[in-house]
Short mmCIF file of all heavy atoms in Angstrom, two decimals:
data_model
loop_
_atom_site.label_atom_id
_atom_site.label_comp_id
_atom_site.label_asym_id
_atom_site.label_seq_id
_atom_site.Cartn_x
_atom_site.Cartn_y
_atom_site.Cartn_z
N ILE A 252 156.63 131.58 -74.20
CA ILE A 252 155.91 132.39 -73.20
C ILE A 252 156.79 132.40 -71.95
O ILE A 252 157.08 131.33 -71.39
CB ILE A 252 154.53 131.79 -72.85
CG1 ILE A 252 153.68 131.58 -74.09
CG2 ILE A 252 153.84 132.65 -71.79
CD1 ILE A 252 152.74 132.68 -74.46
N ASP A 253 157.23 133.59 -71.55
CA ASP A 253 158.16 133.71 -70.43
C ASP A 253 157.36 133.99 -69.15
O ASP A 253 157.04 135.14 -68.84
CB ASP A 253 159.14 134.87 -70.73
CG ASP A 253 160.28 134.92 -69.73
OD1 ASP A 253 160.06 134.52 -68.57
OD2 ASP A 253 161.38 135.35 -70.12
N PHE A 254 157.04 132.92 -68.43
CA PHE A 254 156.21 133.07 -67.21
C PHE A 254 156.85 134.03 -66.22
O PHE A 254 156.18 134.86 -65.62
CB PHE A 254 156.04 131.72 -66.48
CG PHE A 254 155.42 130.63 -67.30
CD1 PHE A 254 155.83 129.31 -67.14
CD2 PHE A 254 154.41 130.90 -68.21
CE1 PHE A 254 155.26 128.30 -67.88
CE2 PHE A 254 153.83 129.90 -68.95
CZ PHE A 254 154.26 128.58 -68.79
N LYS A 255 158.16 133.86 -66.04
CA LYS A 255 158.84 134.63 -65.00
C LYS A 255 158.79 136.12 -65.33
O LYS A 255 158.48 136.94 -64.46
CB LYS A 255 160.29 134.15 -64.89
CG LYS A 255 160.99 134.73 -63.70
CD LYS A 255 161.78 133.68 -62.98
CE LYS A 255 162.26 134.23 -61.65
NZ LYS A 255 163.58 133.72 -61.35
N ALA A 256 159.07 136.44 -66.59
CA ALA A 256 159.06 137.86 -66.98
C ALA A 256 157.64 138.43 -66.90
O ALA A 256 157.44 139.57 -66.51
CB ALA A 256 159.61 138.02 -68.40
N LEU A 257 156.65 137.61 -67.26
CA LEU A 257 155.27 138.12 -67.34
C LEU A 257 154.55 138.12 -65.99
O LEU A 257 153.66 138.94 -65.76
CB LEU A 257 154.46 137.30 -68.36
CG LEU A 257 154.92 137.42 -69.82
CD1 LEU A 257 154.25 136.35 -70.69
CD2 LEU A 257 154.60 138.81 -70.38
N THR A 258 154.92 137.18 -65.10
CA THR A 258 154.16 137.06 -63.84
C THR A 258 155.06 137.04 -62.60
O THR A 258 154.54 137.09 -61.48
CB THR A 258 153.35 135.74 -63.81
OG1 THR A 258 154.28 134.65 -63.73
CG2 THR A 258 152.49 135.57 -65.04
N GLY A 259 156.36 136.88 -62.80
CA GLY A 259 157.27 136.74 -61.65
C GLY A 259 157.25 135.33 -61.06
O GLY A 259 157.92 135.05 -60.07
N LYS A 260 156.47 134.43 -61.67
CA LYS A 260 156.34 133.08 -61.10
C LYS A 260 156.87 132.00 -62.05
O LYS A 260 157.01 132.24 -63.25
CB LYS A 260 154.88 132.79 -60.78
CG LYS A 260 154.33 133.67 -59.68
CD LYS A 260 152.96 133.18 -59.29
CE LYS A 260 152.36 134.13 -58.28
NZ LYS A 260 150.92 134.13 -58.34
N THR A 261 157.10 130.82 -61.51
CA THR A 261 157.61 129.69 -62.29
C THR A 261 156.71 128.47 -62.03
O THR A 261 155.84 128.52 -61.17
CB THR A 261 159.05 129.34 -61.86
OG1 THR A 261 159.03 129.07 -60.46
CG2 THR A 261 160.01 130.50 -62.14
N VAL A 262 156.95 127.39 -62.78
CA VAL A 262 156.29 126.11 -62.49
C VAL A 262 157.38 125.06 -62.29
O VAL A 262 158.55 125.30 -62.63
CB VAL A 262 155.34 125.68 -63.63
CG1 VAL A 262 154.13 126.59 -63.72
CG2 VAL A 262 156.07 125.61 -64.97
N THR A 263 157.00 123.91 -61.75
CA THR A 263 158.01 122.87 -61.46
C THR A 263 157.59 121.54 -62.07
O THR A 263 156.44 121.12 -61.93
CB THR A 263 158.16 122.70 -59.93
OG1 THR A 263 158.55 123.96 -59.38
CG2 THR A 263 159.19 121.65 -59.57
N VAL A 264 158.54 120.89 -62.74
CA VAL A 264 158.30 119.54 -63.26
C VAL A 264 158.68 118.55 -62.16
O VAL A 264 159.84 118.50 -61.72
CB VAL A 264 159.18 119.29 -64.51
CG1 VAL A 264 159.18 117.82 -64.88
CG2 VAL A 264 158.69 120.13 -65.69
N TYR A 265 157.69 117.84 -61.67
CA TYR A 265 157.91 116.80 -60.64
C TYR A 265 156.71 115.87 -60.73
O TYR A 265 155.58 116.30 -60.53
CB TYR A 265 158.03 117.44 -59.26
CG TYR A 265 158.53 116.51 -58.17
CD1 TYR A 265 159.83 116.00 -58.20
CD2 TYR A 265 157.71 116.12 -57.11
CE1 TYR A 265 160.30 115.15 -57.21
CE2 TYR A 265 158.17 115.27 -56.11
CZ TYR A 265 159.46 114.80 -56.17
OH TYR A 265 159.92 113.95 -55.16
N GLY A 266 156.95 114.62 -61.06
CA GLY A 266 155.85 113.71 -61.41
C GLY A 266 154.90 113.42 -60.26
O GLY A 266 155.30 113.39 -59.09
N GLN A 267 153.64 113.20 -60.62
CA GLN A 267 152.62 112.82 -59.64
C GLN A 267 153.05 111.56 -58.88
O GLN A 267 152.79 111.42 -57.69
CB GLN A 267 151.30 112.56 -60.38
CG GLN A 267 150.17 112.13 -59.48
CD GLN A 267 148.81 112.24 -60.18
OE1 GLN A 267 148.63 113.04 -61.09
NE2 GLN A 267 147.85 111.45 -59.75
N THR A 268 153.71 110.64 -59.60
CA THR A 268 154.20 109.41 -58.96
C THR A 268 155.14 109.74 -57.82
O THR A 268 155.10 109.12 -56.76
CB THR A 268 154.98 108.57 -60.00
OG1 THR A 268 154.24 108.58 -61.21
CG2 THR A 268 155.22 107.18 -59.55
N GLU A 269 156.01 110.73 -58.05
CA GLU A 269 157.00 111.09 -57.01
C GLU A 269 156.31 111.76 -55.83
O GLU A 269 156.64 111.51 -54.67
CB GLU A 269 158.09 112.01 -57.59
CG GLU A 269 158.77 111.49 -58.85
CD GLU A 269 159.22 110.04 -58.71
OE1 GLU A 269 159.79 109.68 -57.67
OE2 GLU A 269 158.97 109.25 -59.66
N ILE A 270 155.34 112.64 -56.13
CA ILE A 270 154.58 113.31 -55.05
C ILE A 270 153.87 112.25 -54.21
O ILE A 270 153.89 112.28 -52.97
CB ILE A 270 153.55 114.29 -55.65
CG1 ILE A 270 154.28 115.45 -56.34
CG2 ILE A 270 152.58 114.80 -54.60
CD1 ILE A 270 153.35 116.41 -57.08
N THR A 271 153.24 111.30 -54.89
CA THR A 271 152.50 110.25 -54.19
C THR A 271 153.45 109.43 -53.33
O THR A 271 153.15 109.12 -52.17
CB THR A 271 151.78 109.35 -55.23
OG1 THR A 271 151.03 110.19 -56.09
CG2 THR A 271 150.85 108.37 -54.57
N ARG A 272 154.61 109.09 -53.88
CA ARG A 272 155.58 108.30 -53.12
C ARG A 272 156.05 109.07 -51.87
O ARG A 272 156.09 108.52 -50.77
CB ARG A 272 156.79 107.97 -54.01
CG ARG A 272 157.83 107.09 -53.36
CD ARG A 272 159.01 106.85 -54.30
NE ARG A 272 158.65 106.13 -55.50
CZ ARG A 272 158.46 104.81 -55.56
NH1 ARG A 272 158.63 104.08 -54.48
NH2 ARG A 272 158.13 104.22 -56.69
N ASP A 273 156.34 110.38 -52.04
CA ASP A 273 156.78 111.19 -50.90
C ASP A 273 155.70 111.23 -49.82
O ASP A 273 155.98 111.15 -48.63
CB ASP A 273 157.11 112.62 -51.36
CG ASP A 273 158.31 112.66 -52.31
OD1 ASP A 273 159.07 111.67 -52.36
OD2 ASP A 273 158.47 113.68 -53.01
N LEU A 274 154.44 111.37 -50.26
CA LEU A 274 153.33 111.45 -49.30
C LEU A 274 153.12 110.10 -48.60
O LEU A 274 152.86 110.05 -47.40
CB LEU A 274 152.04 111.88 -50.01
CG LEU A 274 151.97 113.37 -50.37
CD1 LEU A 274 150.87 113.64 -51.39
CD2 LEU A 274 151.73 114.21 -49.11
N MET A 275 153.25 109.01 -49.34
CA MET A 275 153.09 107.68 -48.72
C MET A 275 154.18 107.45 -47.68
O MET A 275 153.92 106.93 -46.59
CB MET A 275 153.17 106.59 -49.80
CG MET A 275 151.92 106.45 -50.65
SD MET A 275 152.19 105.16 -51.88
CE MET A 275 150.57 105.06 -52.63
N GLU A 276 155.41 107.86 -48.02
CA GLU A 276 156.52 107.65 -47.08
C GLU A 276 156.32 108.49 -45.82
O GLU A 276 156.53 108.02 -44.71
CB GLU A 276 157.86 107.97 -47.75
CG GLU A 276 158.30 106.83 -48.66
CD GLU A 276 159.59 107.09 -49.42
OE1 GLU A 276 160.17 108.19 -49.26
OE2 GLU A 276 160.00 106.20 -50.17
N ALA A 277 155.89 109.75 -46.03
CA ALA A 277 155.68 110.63 -44.87
C ALA A 277 154.56 110.08 -43.99
O ALA A 277 154.63 110.13 -42.76
CB ALA A 277 155.34 112.04 -45.34
N ARG A 278 153.54 109.54 -44.61
CA ARG A 278 152.40 108.99 -43.85
C ARG A 278 152.83 107.77 -43.04
O ARG A 278 152.46 107.62 -41.87
CB ARG A 278 151.26 108.65 -44.81
CG ARG A 278 149.99 108.27 -44.10
CD ARG A 278 148.76 108.27 -44.97
NE ARG A 278 147.62 107.84 -44.18
CZ ARG A 278 146.88 108.66 -43.43
NH1 ARG A 278 147.13 109.93 -43.41
NH2 ARG A 278 145.89 108.18 -42.70
N ALA A 279 153.62 106.93 -43.69
CA ALA A 279 154.11 105.75 -42.97
C ALA A 279 155.00 106.18 -41.80
O ALA A 279 154.90 105.65 -40.70
CB ALA A 279 154.87 104.83 -43.93
N ALA A 280 155.85 107.20 -42.03
CA ALA A 280 156.76 107.68 -40.96
C ALA A 280 155.97 108.27 -39.80
O ALA A 280 156.39 108.19 -38.65
CB ALA A 280 157.74 108.71 -41.53
N ALA A 281 154.82 108.88 -40.10
CA ALA A 281 154.00 109.50 -39.05
C ALA A 281 153.01 108.49 -38.46
O ALA A 281 152.13 108.86 -37.69
CB ALA A 281 153.25 110.70 -39.61
N SER A 282 153.16 107.21 -38.83
CA SER A 282 152.24 106.16 -38.38
C SER A 282 150.79 106.46 -38.74
O SER A 282 149.87 106.10 -38.02
CB SER A 282 152.36 105.92 -36.86
OG SER A 282 153.64 105.47 -36.56
N GLY A 283 150.59 107.16 -39.86
CA GLY A 283 149.22 107.40 -40.35
C GLY A 283 148.66 106.10 -40.90
O GLY A 283 149.38 105.33 -41.53
N LEU A 284 147.40 105.91 -40.67
CA LEU A 284 146.79 104.63 -41.05
C LEU A 284 146.20 104.70 -42.46
O LEU A 284 145.35 105.55 -42.74
CB LEU A 284 145.68 104.30 -40.04
CG LEU A 284 144.78 103.11 -40.36
CD1 LEU A 284 145.58 101.83 -40.50
CD2 LEU A 284 143.74 102.95 -39.26
N THR A 285 146.65 103.82 -43.33
CA THR A 285 146.06 103.68 -44.67
C THR A 285 145.64 102.23 -44.85
O THR A 285 146.46 101.33 -44.63
CB THR A 285 147.08 104.04 -45.78
OG1 THR A 285 147.66 105.30 -45.49
CG2 THR A 285 146.39 104.10 -47.14
N VAL A 286 144.41 102.02 -45.22
CA VAL A 286 143.96 100.66 -45.50
C VAL A 286 143.88 100.51 -47.02
O VAL A 286 143.00 101.12 -47.66
CB VAL A 286 142.57 100.38 -44.87
CG1 VAL A 286 142.13 98.95 -45.18
CG2 VAL A 286 142.59 100.64 -43.37
N TYR A 287 144.82 99.78 -47.59
CA TYR A 287 144.78 99.52 -49.03
C TYR A 287 143.90 98.31 -49.29
O TYR A 287 143.62 97.52 -48.38
CB TYR A 287 146.20 99.29 -49.57
CG TYR A 287 146.98 100.59 -49.64
CD1 TYR A 287 147.85 100.95 -48.62
CD2 TYR A 287 146.80 101.47 -50.70
CE1 TYR A 287 148.54 102.15 -48.66
CE2 TYR A 287 147.48 102.67 -50.75
CZ TYR A 287 148.36 103.01 -49.73
OH TYR A 287 149.02 104.19 -49.78
N GLU A 288 143.46 98.17 -50.51
CA GLU A 288 142.58 97.07 -50.93
C GLU A 288 141.31 97.01 -50.08
O GLU A 288 140.84 95.93 -49.71
CB GLU A 288 143.34 95.74 -50.89
CG GLU A 288 144.53 95.75 -51.85
CD GLU A 288 145.29 94.43 -51.83
OE1 GLU A 288 146.16 94.28 -50.95
OE2 GLU A 288 145.00 93.59 -52.68
N ALA A 289 140.79 98.21 -49.75
CA ALA A 289 139.51 98.28 -49.03
C ALA A 289 138.40 98.15 -50.08
O ALA A 289 138.33 98.94 -51.02
CB ALA A 289 139.40 99.61 -48.30
N GLU A 290 137.56 97.14 -49.92
CA GLU A 290 136.51 96.88 -50.91
C GLU A 290 135.17 97.46 -50.46
O GLU A 290 134.94 97.61 -49.25
CB GLU A 290 136.33 95.37 -51.10
CG GLU A 290 137.56 94.67 -51.64
CD GLU A 290 137.45 93.17 -51.44
OE1 GLU A 290 136.38 92.60 -51.73
OE2 GLU A 290 138.43 92.57 -50.96
N ASN A 291 134.32 97.73 -51.43
CA ASN A 291 132.95 98.20 -51.16
C ASN A 291 132.90 99.35 -50.16
O ASN A 291 132.08 99.35 -49.24
CB ASN A 291 132.07 97.06 -50.61
CG ASN A 291 132.01 95.90 -51.57
OD1 ASN A 291 132.13 96.09 -52.78
ND2 ASN A 291 131.85 94.71 -51.05
N VAL A 292 133.80 100.29 -50.30
CA VAL A 292 133.81 101.43 -49.38
C VAL A 292 132.51 102.22 -49.56
O VAL A 292 132.14 102.57 -50.69
CB VAL A 292 135.04 102.33 -49.67
CG1 VAL A 292 135.00 103.58 -48.80
CG2 VAL A 292 136.33 101.55 -49.44
N THR A 293 131.81 102.49 -48.46
CA THR A 293 130.50 103.15 -48.55
C THR A 293 130.35 104.20 -47.46
O THR A 293 130.29 103.86 -46.28
CB THR A 293 129.36 102.10 -48.36
OG1 THR A 293 129.63 100.98 -49.20
CG2 THR A 293 128.01 102.69 -48.71
N PRO A 294 130.30 105.49 -47.85
CA PRO A 294 130.04 106.51 -46.84
C PRO A 294 128.56 106.49 -46.47
O PRO A 294 127.71 106.31 -47.34
CB PRO A 294 130.40 107.82 -47.56
CG PRO A 294 130.31 107.51 -49.02
CD PRO A 294 130.47 106.03 -49.21
#
Side-chain angles (χ1 to χ4, degrees):
I252 305 266
D253 189 329
F254 302 145
K255 190 136 191 216
L257 294 168
T258 68
K260 294 188 185 153
T261 57
V262 291
T263 301
V264 168
Y265 192 66
Q267 178 165 334
T268 316
E269 307 311 316
I270 293 174
T271 308
R272 184 182 296 282
D273 294 343
L274 284 164
M275 284 179 175
E276 282 177 359
R278 188 165 178 86
S282 297
L284 171 59
T285 309
V286 180
Y287 286 97
E288 298 180 276
E290 297 165 46
N291 302 331
V292 175
T293 312

